[in-house]
Amino acid sequence: MSVRTTPATGATTESSATARPVAPGRGPGRRLAVAGVPSALGIGGLLLSAQLGVWDESLPGPGFYPLLASALITGAGVTLFLRQSDAELEDATPGETARVALGIGLLLAYAVLFPLLGVVTTSFVISLLWLKVLARESWRTSLAIAVGATAFIYVLFVRLLQLPLPLDAFLPR
Amino acid sequence: MDALNGLTTGLSVVADPANLLYIVLGVLLGMVVGILPGLGPTATIAILLPITFSLEPATSLMMLAGVYYGSMYGGTITSVLLNLPGEAASVVTTLDGYQMARKGRAGPALGIAAIGSFVGGIAGTLALLLVAAPLAVVAAKFGYPEFATMALLGLLFVTALSSGSTAKAFVAAGAGLLLAAVGLDPVSGSPRLTFGSTEMMGGIDFVALAMGVFGLGEVLYNLRHSGEPDVLTRKIRVWPSRAELRQSRGAIARGTGIGTVLGLVPGAGGTLSSLMSYALEKRVSKDPSRFGEGAIEGVAGPETANNAGATTSFVPLLTIGIPSNSVMALMFGALLIQGITPGPTLITEQPGVFWGVIASMFVGNLILLVLNLPLVGGFIQLLRVRIGVLGALTILVSMVGVYAVNVRSFDLFFVVVMGIVGYWMRRTGFPAGPLVLAFVLGDIIDQAVRSSLLVSRGDFSIFVTRPVSAAFLGLCVLVVVWQVVSRVRTARAVRGHRTDHTETAVPTETEGYR
């Protein structure tokens, strides 16, 4: 039962993080999750840095510094591959993984809705869902805290700090 | 009397009612997050960064510093009462503090910790006051090669002292260095690793990175667990007895010394100081068997040391401009968003910030002592706050805050991606501290190495022919050799007795990261 934790976010997903309980430090899936991601990041970095130009004439080029950083990641990543004891991944039940995925979904929804609906509506809706669905609070508690938290955000960021945030249609300008 | 003039300057900054208010707010918030499990000082400071944007530079740094040392006091409370360290530096406090609480001596444990923390904090601040100005004068003579090698040394220290696997710490540090490369090349001005995105041209935003990796990463990680801790509601008598005070005197004095000195070492800060103090107390004790059974010295020493260490870890940041742990990296970021680049010139160009922060620590520690002794019972009630509720408030403050820094929607998505990275790192045991610190140091290293090589026309000998730079490089080599030697030794010891894991199990976490 392979549980994918994250929606499409590129290199940072851990699609191989299976929830099957295996003794710590065993199993190819785990090792891939722990060592494969850094190794891939390092090798990708090496290739990109090489394209930038590592050394021109007698001086280091734009790719010089990223190349060193990528080499460090690659070296350490490969070491992780070789040393099995380091390839540990905590067990997560499918339920827990689903909660984290939902949390990420709510954060992304916040990012999408914020410029469209404005700070107050977005904050209220997302915090209400977070409290009700993720924190499993009662409707009454969730509503009370969501209203309180949204009011806090409005007073702090919009009124006191007067930051240039996208305001909801119903708010005074 | 530079230090005395400086202190006067600093105190006049602190005396501003607005500044005093923010110091109080900072230390209170620090206490609160130190107590609340699930939100550490590093995450809190990261989340506060956008808010400090609208404050004066001195005010912002004084408040953030207050959060840091305030959390050192707060973390003790949960360690003693619940066996739950609220932040990394309080881990050893659980060993004897919780045992004292189980034997009905929670009050004296908390009291002695508050007194020790106060003594350590004040001694550390005094050291900061005396050492900072002379060190800044020396650092002002440093050139590019010295900065490059010093930043490298700091990075090596932090990575070597990080908890768990060194390879993982190096992956994290490498990733931080690589992220720092994104944006325009500082020498040629050509775009690097921007993938054609105009938002990435200006480089990765430090605030979004820190808030994502520390703040949102922690919130996502906490989603995996639910439930609430048992809360002790009994009234607690906090003042230690005279006999207990006498018993702790030596421990507090030694803890002060250890913390003050170790705080200066990059990567050590409060966490390593408290571990070393505990080890020392156990060694000098006439009856070491009492340790782990509720010995008050085992609480007094480490609590003193961690506060002293947390305080003196400001020295490298304020005098040289090199942050020595992840919290200092955040302070560095807080100054950068104010348009101030920390460095040896800070003391002359921003005397209000430099001396103000130092003076604020005297005041802040005093406030904490006064708050701590009578109000411990009230603070404990905070543990009733459920972790999911805290998460909801955290995501709102994070998302709104990160948008406000640059006023662009791109950062909203970027902070979520960094949150996923932070979550993934926690799940797989990669320390987040080295990543954020390397991100800050990476800019310094990139610039300083490239500029050094411009001066020397591509000749690497510039790093070894200058004495100070050569000395820093020599220290780098020593750190690596020491790492390898201790690795081999541990491996041998483990092979010798398979059950003895004490040496590797010690939680020498990078400051601030849990």
Side-chain angles (χ1 to χ4, degrees):
Chain A
M1 48 178 176
S2 170
V3 181
R4 312 224 168 230
T5 35
T6 50
T9 44
T12 55
T13 51
E14 41 170 322
S15 50
S16 54
T18 53
R20 200 154 15 116
V22 188
R26 300 280 181 273
R30 281 150 192 275
R31 229 207 286 187
L32 202 65
V34 173
V37 174
S39 302
L41 178 73
I43 292 167
L46 284 176
L47 294 175
L48 287 170
S49 314
Q51 278 175 13
L52 287 170
V54 176
W55 202 269
D56 41 55
E57 316 249 324
S58 64
L59 285 173
F64 173 70
Y65 165 77
L67 185 88
L68 292 183
S70 309
L72 179 66
I73 304 172
T74 314
V78 170
T79 313
L80 283 172
F81 253 119
L82 301 176
R83 304 243 315 268
Q84 210 174 5
S85 63
D86 286 334
E88 281 177 30
L89 200 62
E90 287 177 40
D91 286 320
T93 65
E96 284 169 354
T97 315
R99 282 155 65 85
V100 174
L102 188 63
I104 293 168
L106 281 178
L107 288 173
L108 287 173
Y110 194 103
V112 172
L113 295 178
F114 188 75
L116 298 175
L117 298 180
V119 55
V120 170
T121 314
T122 313
S123 297
F124 175 72
V125 171
I126 299 295
S127 62
L128 183 68
L129 287 174
W130 187 284
L131 288 159
K132 182 66 201 136
V133 184
L134 279 178
R136 296 196 191 120
E137 298 292 333
S138 67
W139 274 114
R140 185 195 289 228
T141 317
S142 300
L143 262 174
I145 296 173
V147 168
T150 307
F152 171 75
I153 292 289
Y154 177 73
V155 170
L156 179 67
F157 286 97
V158 180
R159 290 273 136 193
L160 291 177
L161 299 176
Q162 305 197 330
L163 298 172
L165 302 174
L167 287 177
D168 308 62
F170 56 85
L171 287 176
R173 309 271 131 177
Chain B
M1 285 310 281
D2 271 353
L4 206 60
N5 286 335
L7 186 61
T8 324
T9 314
L11 284 174
S12 68
V13 177
V14 171
D16 182 325
N19 287 343
L20 264 179
L21 178 74
Y22 278 104
I23 296 171
V24 174
L25 269 179
V27 296
L28 267 178
L29 197 62
M31 280 277 301
V32 169
V33 300
I35 294 168
L36 291 171
L39 199 64
T42 322
T44 309
I45 293 171
I47 291 163
L48 286 177
L49 283 177
I51 297 173
T52 64
F53 186 56
S54 51
L55 301 175
E56 290 287 309
T59 315
S60 128
L61 213 61
M62 287 191 282
M63 179 178 78
L64 295 179
V67 173
Y68 184 36
Y69 56 78
S71 73
M72 296 280 157
Y73 282 76
T76 313
I77 298 178
T78 46
S79 300
V80 170
L81 294 179
L82 299 171
N83 206 15
L84 278 178
E87 32 85 37
S90 298
V91 173
V92 279
T93 309
T94 59
L95 299 177
D96 278 281
Y98 185 62
Q99 289 305 321
M100 283 182 73
R102 284 185 60 182
K103 289 173 180 156
R105 290 167 67 211
L110 291 173
I112 204 74
I115 294 167
S117 293
F118 176 75
V119 173
I122 295 295
T125 311
L126 274 175
L128 186 54
L129 184 69
L130 296 174
V131 169
L135 207 59
V137 173
V138 175
K141 298 199 177 81
F142 287 180
Y144 289 121
E146 283 77 22
F147 272 97
T149 46
M150 194 165 38
L152 189 68
L153 180 63
L155 192 65
L156 264 178
F157 258 118
V158 170
T159 317
L161 292 174
S162 178
S163 68
S165 150
T166 313
K168 283 181 179 170
F170 273 108
V171 168
L177 293 175
L178 191 61
L179 286 172
V182 175
L184 296 180
D185 173 39
V187 176
S188 70
S190 58
R192 290 192 302 197
L193 311 174
T194 56
F195 303 101
S197 149
T198 43
E199 277 93 352
M200 302 279 257
M201 293 271 259
I204 284 175
D205 189 65
F206 175 75
V207 177
L209 174 80
M211 288 179 94
V213 171
F214 287 127
L216 295 185
E218 199 154 309
V219 170
L220 288 174
Y221 187 72
N222 286 336
L223 278 179
R224 299 168 56 252
H225 325 278
S226 49
E228 44 193 310
D230 297 326
V231 183
L232 298 173
T233 43
R234 274 175 293 132
K235 284 218 159 173
I236 294 172
R237 184 192 60 89
V238 181
W239 272 108
S241 68
R242 207 167 283 170
E244 285 165 332
L245 278 175
R246 204 174 319 120
Q247 224 176 343
S248 315
R249 221 167 26 200
I252 290 179
R254 286 184 290 271
T256 304
I258 288 177
T260 306
V261 174
L262 279 186
L264 299 170
V265 178
T271 312
L272 193 68
S273 306
S274 61
L275 286 169
M276 293 287 285
S277 163
Y278 190 81
L280 180 72
E281 288 315 313
K282 203 169 168 180
R283 187 157 295 175
V284 300
S285 169
K286 284 183 193 119
D287 179 14
S289 67
R290 281 173 46 249
F291 281 79
E293 302 289 326
I296 198 163
E297 305 96 298
V299 176
E303 281 300 317
T304 309
N306 80 30
N307 223 24
T311 309
T312 51
S313 65
F314 274 86
V315 169
L317 175 75
L318 292 175
T319 58
I320 309 170
I322 304 265
S324 57
N325 59 43
S326 42
V327 171
M328 292 307 131
L330 296 171
M331 301 281 175
F332 188 94
L335 283 170
L336 280 186
I337 58 177
Q338 298 276 2
I340 297 172
T341 308
T345 52
L346 186 73
I347 187 169
T348 45
E349 284 169 12
Q350 300 283 344
V353 174
F354 186 93
W355 296 111
V357 172
I358 297 177
S360 78
M361 292 179 180
F362 285 112
V363 180
N365 273 291
L366 195 65
I367 297 171
L368 280 167
L369 182 70
V370 172
L371 284 176
N372 245 272
L373 294 176
L375 294 180
V376 161
F379 276 117
I380 297 164
Q381 301 301 322
L382 280 171
L383 287 167
R384 289 175 184 277
V385 177
R386 285 184 290 273
I387 217 162
V389 174
L390 193 65
L393 192 63
T394 310
I395 61 160
L396 294 191
V397 177
S398 302
M399 297 299 276
V400 176
V402 83
Y403 177 87
V405 176
N406 298 314
V407 196
R408 54 179 192 185
S409 302
F410 173 81
D411 288 342
L412 290 173
F413 291 96
F414 185 73
V415 76
V416 176
V417 172
M418 283 298 129
I420 298 169
V421 172
Y423 165 73
W424 180 83
M425 290 177 76
R426 277 169 179 74
R427 273 291 307 278
T428 47
F430 287 90
L435 184 142
V436 173
L437 192 77
F439 180 77
V440 171
L441 291 178
D443 264 341
I444 299 173
I445 293 175
D446 186 16
Q447 284 240 1
V449 169
R450 299 276 294 282
S451 306
S452 306
L453 289 174
L454 272 178
V455 173
S456 72
R457 305 219 174 99
D459 186 357
F460 280 92
S461 68
I462 188 169
F463 295 109
V464 287
T465 48
R466 297 169 61 117
V468 177
S469 156
F472 285 138
L473 268 186
L475 281 172
C476 289
V477 174
L478 271 181
V479 172
V480 173
V481 169
W482 163 66
Q483 269 288 301
V484 173
V485 169
S486 65
R487 271 288 117 157
V488 171
R489 259 202 214 149
T490 317
R492 269 195 204 138
V494 170
R495 230 174 291 143
H497 354 230
R498 289 238 69 125
T499 47
D500 184 24
H501 285 299
T502 43
E503 209 170 334
T504 43
V506 177
T508 50
E509 289 201 23
T510 303
E511 190 62 30
Y513 167 67
R514 297 186 288 131

